[in-house]
mmCIF file of all heavy atoms in Angstrom:
data_model
loop_
_atom_site.group_PDB
_atom_site.id
_atom_site.type_symbol
_atom_site.label_atom_id
_atom_site.label_comp_id
_atom_site.label_asym_id
_atom_site.label_seq_id
_atom_site.Cartn_x
_atom_site.Cartn_y
_atom_site.Cartn_z
ATOM 1 N N ALA A 52 -18.279 18.193 -4.090
ATOM 2 C CA ALA A 52 -17.843 16.803 -4.227
ATOM 3 C C ALA A 52 -16.557 16.586 -3.442
ATOM 4 O O ALA A 52 -15.864 17.538 -3.080
ATOM 5 C CB ALA A 52 -17.587 16.499 -5.702
ATOM 6 N N THR A 53 -16.231 15.322 -3.225
ATOM 7 C CA THR A 53 -14.976 14.982 -2.547
ATOM 8 C C THR A 53 -14.104 14.181 -3.515
ATOM 9 O O THR A 53 -14.350 14.153 -4.704
ATOM 10 C CB THR A 53 -15.262 14.163 -1.283
ATOM 11 O OG1 THR A 53 -16.143 13.120 -1.674
ATOM 12 C CG2 THR A 53 -15.888 15.004 -0.209
ATOM 13 N N GLY A 54 -13.096 13.493 -2.984
ATOM 14 C CA GLY A 54 -12.141 12.797 -3.845
ATOM 15 C C GLY A 54 -11.001 13.744 -4.157
ATOM 16 O O GLY A 54 -11.048 14.936 -3.806
ATOM 17 N N SER A 55 -10.000 13.246 -4.856
ATOM 18 C CA SER A 55 -8.848 14.111 -5.122
ATOM 19 C C SER A 55 -9.130 15.105 -6.242
ATOM 20 O O SER A 55 -8.511 16.163 -6.306
ATOM 21 C CB SER A 55 -7.633 13.259 -5.472
ATOM 22 O OG SER A 55 -7.998 12.305 -6.438
ATOM 23 N N THR A 56 -10.103 14.803 -7.096
ATOM 24 C CA THR A 56 -10.347 15.658 -8.261
ATOM 25 C C THR A 56 -10.635 17.124 -7.903
ATOM 26 O O THR A 56 -10.013 18.013 -8.470
ATOM 27 C CB THR A 56 -11.504 15.070 -9.106
ATOM 28 O OG1 THR A 56 -11.153 13.736 -9.442
ATOM 29 C CG2 THR A 56 -11.732 15.870 -10.360
ATOM 30 N N PRO A 57 -11.568 17.400 -6.957
ATOM 31 C CA PRO A 57 -11.858 18.819 -6.729
ATOM 32 C C PRO A 57 -10.821 19.552 -5.866
ATOM 33 O O PRO A 57 -10.935 20.771 -5.690
ATOM 34 C CB PRO A 57 -13.221 18.789 -6.017
ATOM 35 C CG PRO A 57 -13.334 17.445 -5.417
ATOM 36 C CD PRO A 57 -12.502 16.514 -6.238
ATOM 37 N N LEU A 83 -22.232 15.928 -1.856
ATOM 38 C CA LEU A 83 -22.850 14.809 -2.570
ATOM 39 C C LEU A 83 -23.078 13.583 -1.706
ATOM 40 O O LEU A 83 -24.100 12.911 -1.813
ATOM 41 C CB LEU A 83 -21.899 14.341 -3.682
ATOM 42 C CG LEU A 83 -21.875 15.068 -4.993
ATOM 43 C CD1 LEU A 83 -20.709 14.543 -5.814
ATOM 44 C CD2 LEU A 83 -23.176 14.832 -5.740
ATOM 45 N N ASP A 84 -22.063 13.253 -0.890
ATOM 46 C CA ASP A 84 -22.111 11.916 -0.292
ATOM 47 C C ASP A 84 -21.234 11.808 0.951
ATOM 48 O O ASP A 84 -20.487 12.738 1.285
ATOM 49 C CB ASP A 84 -21.694 10.863 -1.328
ATOM 50 C CG ASP A 84 -20.411 11.234 -2.062
ATOM 51 O OD1 ASP A 84 -19.741 12.196 -1.647
ATOM 52 O OD2 ASP A 84 -20.084 10.559 -3.054
ATOM 53 N N TYR A 86 -19.334 8.337 3.414
ATOM 54 C CA TYR A 86 -19.284 6.908 3.750
ATOM 55 C C TYR A 86 -20.251 6.640 4.895
ATOM 56 O O TYR A 86 -20.400 7.474 5.795
ATOM 57 C CB TYR A 86 -17.874 6.517 4.202
ATOM 58 C CG TYR A 86 -16.865 6.525 3.086
ATOM 59 C CD1 TYR A 86 -15.879 7.507 3.012
ATOM 60 C CD2 TYR A 86 -16.896 5.551 2.096
ATOM 61 C CE1 TYR A 86 -14.951 7.508 1.991
ATOM 62 C CE2 TYR A 86 -15.967 5.547 1.060
ATOM 63 C CZ TYR A 86 -15.000 6.524 1.019
ATOM 64 O OH TYR A 86 -14.081 6.524 -0.001
ATOM 65 N N TYR A 97 -15.780 12.212 4.715
ATOM 66 C CA TYR A 97 -15.878 13.337 3.798
ATOM 67 C C TYR A 97 -16.092 14.644 4.572
ATOM 68 O O TYR A 97 -15.730 15.712 4.094
ATOM 69 C CB TYR A 97 -17.002 13.100 2.776
ATOM 70 C CG TYR A 97 -16.622 12.091 1.707
ATOM 71 C CD1 TYR A 97 -17.580 11.540 0.871
ATOM 72 C CD2 TYR A 97 -15.291 11.718 1.519
ATOM 73 C CE1 TYR A 97 -17.232 10.641 -0.131
ATOM 74 C CE2 TYR A 97 -14.937 10.817 0.531
ATOM 75 C CZ TYR A 97 -15.905 10.275 -0.294
ATOM 76 O OH TYR A 97 -15.548 9.396 -1.286
ATOM 77 N N LEU A 150 -18.858 17.955 -9.694
ATOM 78 C CA LEU A 150 -18.762 16.495 -9.661
ATOM 79 C C LEU A 150 -17.374 16.020 -10.044
ATOM 80 O O LEU A 150 -16.690 16.656 -10.848
ATOM 81 C CB LEU A 150 -19.715 15.871 -10.694
ATOM 82 C CG LEU A 150 -21.212 15.975 -10.518
ATOM 83 C CD1 LEU A 150 -21.889 15.311 -11.725
ATOM 84 C CD2 LEU A 150 -21.656 15.286 -9.236
ATOM 85 N N GLY A 151 -16.984 14.874 -9.488
ATOM 86 C CA GLY A 151 -15.864 14.118 -10.033
ATOM 87 C C GLY A 151 -16.486 12.899 -10.702
ATOM 88 O O GLY A 151 -17.702 12.801 -10.855
ATOM 89 N N ILE A 152 -15.666 11.959 -11.097
ATOM 90 C CA ILE A 152 -16.207 10.726 -11.670
ATOM 91 C C ILE A 152 -15.337 9.563 -11.201
ATOM 92 O O ILE A 152 -14.110 9.663 -11.193
ATOM 93 C CB ILE A 152 -16.277 10.809 -13.221
ATOM 94 C CG1 ILE A 152 -16.894 9.544 -13.826
ATOM 95 C CG2 ILE A 152 -14.915 11.087 -13.842
ATOM 96 C CD1 ILE A 152 -17.266 9.688 -15.312
ATOM 97 N N GLY A 153 -15.997 8.502 -10.748
ATOM 98 C CA GLY A 153 -15.241 7.332 -10.299
ATOM 99 C C GLY A 153 -14.905 6.447 -11.488
ATOM 100 O O GLY A 153 -15.467 6.615 -12.581
ATOM 101 N N ARG A 154 -13.993 5.517 -11.282
ATOM 102 C CA ARG A 154 -13.590 4.669 -12.417
ATOM 103 C C ARG A 154 -14.707 3.738 -12.884
ATOM 104 O O ARG A 154 -14.666 3.171 -13.958
ATOM 105 C CB ARG A 154 -12.347 3.862 -12.047
ATOM 106 C CG ARG A 154 -11.074 4.655 -12.272
ATOM 107 C CD ARG A 154 -9.897 3.747 -12.510
ATOM 108 N NE ARG A 154 -9.606 2.906 -11.373
ATOM 109 C CZ ARG A 154 -9.042 1.722 -11.465
ATOM 110 N NH1 ARG A 154 -8.747 1.224 -12.643
ATOM 111 N NH2 ARG A 154 -8.790 1.015 -10.382
ATOM 112 N N HIS A 157 -19.209 6.215 -11.751
ATOM 113 C CA HIS A 157 -20.176 6.734 -10.789
ATOM 114 C C HIS A 157 -20.026 8.234 -10.580
ATOM 115 O O HIS A 157 -18.941 8.790 -10.740
ATOM 116 C CB HIS A 157 -20.129 5.979 -9.455
ATOM 117 C CG HIS A 157 -18.887 6.166 -8.655
ATOM 118 N ND1 HIS A 157 -18.097 5.117 -8.240
ATOM 119 C CD2 HIS A 157 -18.306 7.266 -8.139
ATOM 120 C CE1 HIS A 157 -17.093 5.569 -7.524
ATOM 121 N NE2 HIS A 157 -17.194 6.866 -7.442
ATOM 122 N N ILE A 158 -21.131 8.873 -10.219
ATOM 123 C CA ILE A 158 -21.103 10.263 -9.789
ATOM 124 C C ILE A 158 -21.684 10.269 -8.386
ATOM 125 O O ILE A 158 -22.650 9.554 -8.125
ATOM 126 C CB ILE A 158 -21.877 11.200 -10.755
ATOM 127 C CG1 ILE A 158 -23.233 10.598 -11.152
ATOM 128 C CG2 ILE A 158 -21.058 11.494 -11.975
ATOM 129 C CD1 ILE A 158 -24.070 11.493 -12.067
ATOM 130 N N GLY A 159 -21.086 11.073 -7.478
ATOM 131 C CA GLY A 159 -21.394 10.876 -6.068
ATOM 132 C C GLY A 159 -21.001 9.448 -5.774
ATOM 133 O O GLY A 159 -19.926 8.995 -6.168
ATOM 134 N N PHE A 160 -21.885 8.706 -5.134
ATOM 135 C CA PHE A 160 -21.649 7.265 -4.997
ATOM 136 C C PHE A 160 -22.745 6.496 -5.730
ATOM 137 O O PHE A 160 -23.129 5.407 -5.337
ATOM 138 C CB PHE A 160 -21.580 6.847 -3.527
ATOM 139 C CG PHE A 160 -20.186 6.872 -2.962
ATOM 140 C CD1 PHE A 160 -19.914 7.501 -1.757
ATOM 141 C CD2 PHE A 160 -19.134 6.255 -3.637
ATOM 142 C CE1 PHE A 160 -18.629 7.523 -1.238
ATOM 143 C CE2 PHE A 160 -17.852 6.266 -3.129
ATOM 144 C CZ PHE A 160 -17.594 6.904 -1.924
ATOM 145 N N THR A 180 -14.597 0.602 -6.691
ATOM 146 C CA THR A 180 -14.588 1.829 -5.900
ATOM 147 C C THR A 180 -13.873 1.579 -4.576
ATOM 148 O O THR A 180 -13.075 2.388 -4.113
ATOM 149 C CB THR A 180 -16.046 2.269 -5.617
ATOM 150 O OG1 THR A 180 -16.700 2.437 -6.866
ATOM 151 C CG2 THR A 180 -16.114 3.539 -4.816
ATOM 152 N N LYS A 221 -8.930 8.118 -15.922
ATOM 153 C CA LYS A 221 -10.339 8.443 -16.130
ATOM 154 C C LYS A 221 -10.708 8.456 -17.616
ATOM 155 O O LYS A 221 -11.870 8.655 -17.973
ATOM 156 C CB LYS A 221 -10.658 9.818 -15.519
ATOM 157 C CG LYS A 221 -10.387 9.921 -14.016
ATOM 158 C CD LYS A 221 -11.462 9.222 -13.216
ATOM 159 C CE LYS A 221 -11.134 9.111 -11.733
ATOM 160 N NZ LYS A 221 -11.156 10.358 -11.013
ATOM 161 N N ARG A 479 -3.658 11.040 -1.573
ATOM 162 C CA ARG A 479 -4.530 12.043 -2.193
ATOM 163 C C ARG A 479 -4.398 13.423 -1.565
ATOM 164 O O ARG A 479 -5.104 14.340 -1.938
ATOM 165 C CB ARG A 479 -6.010 11.628 -2.155
ATOM 166 C CG ARG A 479 -6.274 10.249 -2.753
ATOM 167 C CD ARG A 479 -7.701 10.122 -3.150
ATOM 168 N NE ARG A 479 -8.154 8.746 -3.076
ATOM 169 C CZ ARG A 479 -9.169 8.267 -3.750
ATOM 170 N NH1 ARG A 479 -9.855 9.048 -4.540
ATOM 171 N NH2 ARG A 479 -9.536 7.017 -3.618
ATOM 172 N N ASP A 511 -2.561 10.404 -12.666
ATOM 173 C CA ASP A 511 -3.556 11.059 -11.818
ATOM 174 C C ASP A 511 -2.812 12.081 -10.944
ATOM 175 O O ASP A 511 -1.907 11.713 -10.196
ATOM 176 C CB ASP A 511 -4.212 9.952 -10.979
ATOM 177 C CG ASP A 511 -5.062 10.505 -9.856
ATOM 178 O OD1 ASP A 511 -5.076 11.737 -9.670
ATOM 179 O OD2 ASP A 511 -5.693 9.699 -9.164
ATOM 180 N N SER A 513 -3.058 13.519 -8.253
ATOM 181 C CA SER A 513 -2.907 13.405 -6.794
ATOM 182 C C SER A 513 -2.023 12.212 -6.420
ATOM 183 O O SER A 513 -1.715 12.003 -5.262
ATOM 184 C CB SER A 513 -4.280 13.232 -6.145
ATOM 185 O OG SER A 513 -4.810 11.980 -6.516
HETATM 186 C C1 GLP B 6 -15.509 8.866 -4.665
HETATM 187 C C2 GLP B 6 -16.497 10.026 -4.520
HETATM 188 C C3 GLP B 6 -16.826 10.620 -5.867
HETATM 189 C C4 GLP B 6 -15.550 10.902 -6.623
HETATM 190 C C5 GLP B 6 -14.781 9.627 -6.813
HETATM 191 C C6 GLP B 6 -13.505 9.805 -7.596
HETATM 192 O O1 GLP B 6 -16.132 7.725 -5.075
HETATM 193 N N1 GLP B 6 -17.704 9.616 -3.854
HETATM 194 O O2 GLP B 6 -17.599 11.780 -5.683
HETATM 195 O O3 GLP B 6 -15.836 11.513 -7.846
HETATM 196 O O4 GLP B 6 -14.450 9.127 -5.554
HETATM 197 O O5 GLP B 6 -12.430 10.107 -6.746
HETATM 198 P P1 GLP B 6 -11.136 10.860 -7.198
HETATM 199 O O6 GLP B 6 -11.522 12.260 -7.469
HETATM 200 O O7 GLP B 6 -10.213 10.766 -6.022
HETATM 201 O O8 GLP B 6 -10.631 10.170 -8.406
#
Side-chain angles (χ1 to χ4, degrees):
T53 49
S55 48
T56 304
L83 278 171
D84 48 10
Y86 290 109
Y97 285 166
L150 292 178
I152 182 168
R154 276 205 297 152
H157 68 236
I158 45 178
F160 268 131
T180 302
K221 301 284 171 70
R479 306 201 209 203
D511 168 355
S513 67

